[in-house]
Amino acid sequence: MASASDEADYVRSDAETVLRVEGVKKTFGGVTALDGVDLEVRNEEIVGLVGPNGAGKTTMFNCIMGEHEVDAGSVHLGETEITDMDTPQIVQTGISRMFQLARVFPELTVRENVLLNQDHREENMLSTLFQDTNEEVIRRAEELIDFVDLTHLIDEQAGNLSGGQKKLLNLACTLLTEPDVVLLDEPTAGVNPNLVDDITDSIIDLNRERETTFLIIEHDMDVISEISDHVYVFATATNLTDGEPSTALSDPRVLEAYFGE
């Protein structure tokens, strides 16, 4: 638990805000999933998003990505409002997402899975099917595969990877287009404990060495405390608190929401 002096010393980065969520509301029938939530991610931060089951975390991701239409509020990427954009537009604007369940094309190799995520905006169907991939894109894909320590499996069919290796592959895939923000939905969930450190180390290294900005949903409080610069806690569809991880996560309201203490 952070001391009073630790809390007093904490100052959030004054870097530019790259993702801003303001007053977002979302209901499904008579159920309120989000009730006016706010959230901010600043450049080169790792921001954690935690909360009990049903708090609205994944719904928040779906609203950011345009998979759910919001009932009220707004979402901005930099100076661009993306609230009413569809998902492909939002991806092209600069947000990438990794899902809780790893998604791969099992018959394709590790390299081919990453290359599928290249930007196709300037292509038509024929050029996409028959044009050779740009050498710079191939180089970047191979660098990312190396960064997540899968080079030894680069020509392996993705279906043969373990669950943790598939998540590392998904992480590389999300970064090929060099997005402004990467959303990770429980990156360590269901992963063999031996690979959890590999995933968290990759996230930290990508943030520090490639200046990648992350917003991460994670249930493992040890993981979120280790990797996050700032954390938001949701409960009952709204903001409960936010701040420096150890301080926010030891807030009595958070303990009550999680454990009834």
Side-chain angles (χ1 to χ4, degrees):
M1 183 180 296
S3 67
S5 61
D6 291 334
E7 184 174 359
D9 291 342
Y10 172 67
V11 178
R12 190 174 184 184
S13 163
D14 61 358
E16 178 184 3
T17 298
V18 291
L19 178 64
R20 186 173 75 257
V21 175
E22 294 184 333
V24 165
K25 296 184 178 182
K26 180 63 185 176
T27 59
F28 299 97
V31 178
T32 299
L34 296 172
D35 191 12
V37 300
D38 301 307
L39 184 146
E40 180 181 357
V41 180
R42 300 180 184 179
N43 192 41
E44 298 181 25
E45 280 188 325
I46 300 177
V47 175
L49 175 56
V50 303
N53 289 333
K57 304 181 297 298
T58 297
T59 300
M60 181 76 271
F61 269 24
N62 289 337
C63 288
I64 291 171
M65 295 302 302
E67 295 169 41
H68 293 330
E69 182 177 347
V70 305
D71 299 324
S74 63
V75 182
H76 290 78
L77 183 64
E79 298 301 317
T80 302
E81 183 169 359
I82 62 173
T83 314
D84 297 320
M85 291 185 182
D86 59 27
T87 302
Q89 287 178 299
I90 291 169
V91 171
Q92 291 175 0
T93 302
I95 303 182
S96 188
R97 178 180 185 178
M98 187 177 108
F99 291 84
Q100 180 179 351
L101 297 177
R103 299 181 175 187
V104 301
F105 291 92
E107 301 301 320
L108 299 182
T109 67
V110 166
R111 180 192 284 107
E112 290 166 341
N113 267 271
V114 177
L115 289 173
L116 280 176
N117 291 270
Q118 64 189 287
D119 191 340
H120 297 292
R121 275 177 291 181
E122 304 302 322
E123 300 178 7
N124 56 41
M125 183 178 294
L126 287 176
S127 63
T128 297
L129 289 173
F130 299 111
Q131 182 173 299
D132 289 338
T133 300
N134 182 287
E135 289 186 5
E136 173 61 22
V137 176
I138 294 174
R139 182 194 62 78
R140 190 161 68 248
E142 292 178 347
E143 279 187 358
L144 288 168
I145 292 166
D146 182 62
F147 212 92
V148 297
D149 199 25
L150 292 178
T151 298
H152 62 296
L153 297 169
I154 196 166
D155 294 315
E156 184 71 42
Q157 287 184 325
N160 295 332
L161 303 184
S162 71
Q165 290 168 337
K166 288 176 182 176
K167 288 206 171 186
L168 287 166
L169 172 56
N170 276 184
L171 182 57
C173 289
T174 65
L175 294 164
L176 186 66
T177 58
E178 300 180 312
D180 296 314
V181 184
V182 177
L183 310 186
L184 304 181
D185 193 344
E186 296 197 50
T188 68
V191 173
N192 184 306
N194 294 329
L195 277 176
V196 169
D197 286 345
D198 291 346
I199 292 172
T200 56
D201 288 347
S202 292
I203 292 168
I204 292 169
D205 290 344
L206 286 162
N207 172 255
R208 292 176 180 171
E209 298 182 28
R210 289 181 172 262
E211 301 177 348
T212 306
T213 302
F214 290 100
L215 174 61
I216 304 174
I217 294 173
E218 181 57 63
H219 275 106
D220 188 321
M221 294 299 102
D222 290 334
V223 168
I224 213 70
S225 296
E226 177 187 354
I227 67 178
S228 298
D229 301 302
H230 194 87
V231 65
Y232 286 84
V233 184
F234 283 6
T236 58
T238 192
N239 294 87
L240 185 60
T241 188
D242 72 282
E244 187 275 329
S246 62
T247 303
L249 296 176
S250 62
D251 187 305
R253 294 169 297 170
V254 175
L255 300 176
E256 171 68 26
Y258 269 97
F259 308 113
E261 295 181 0

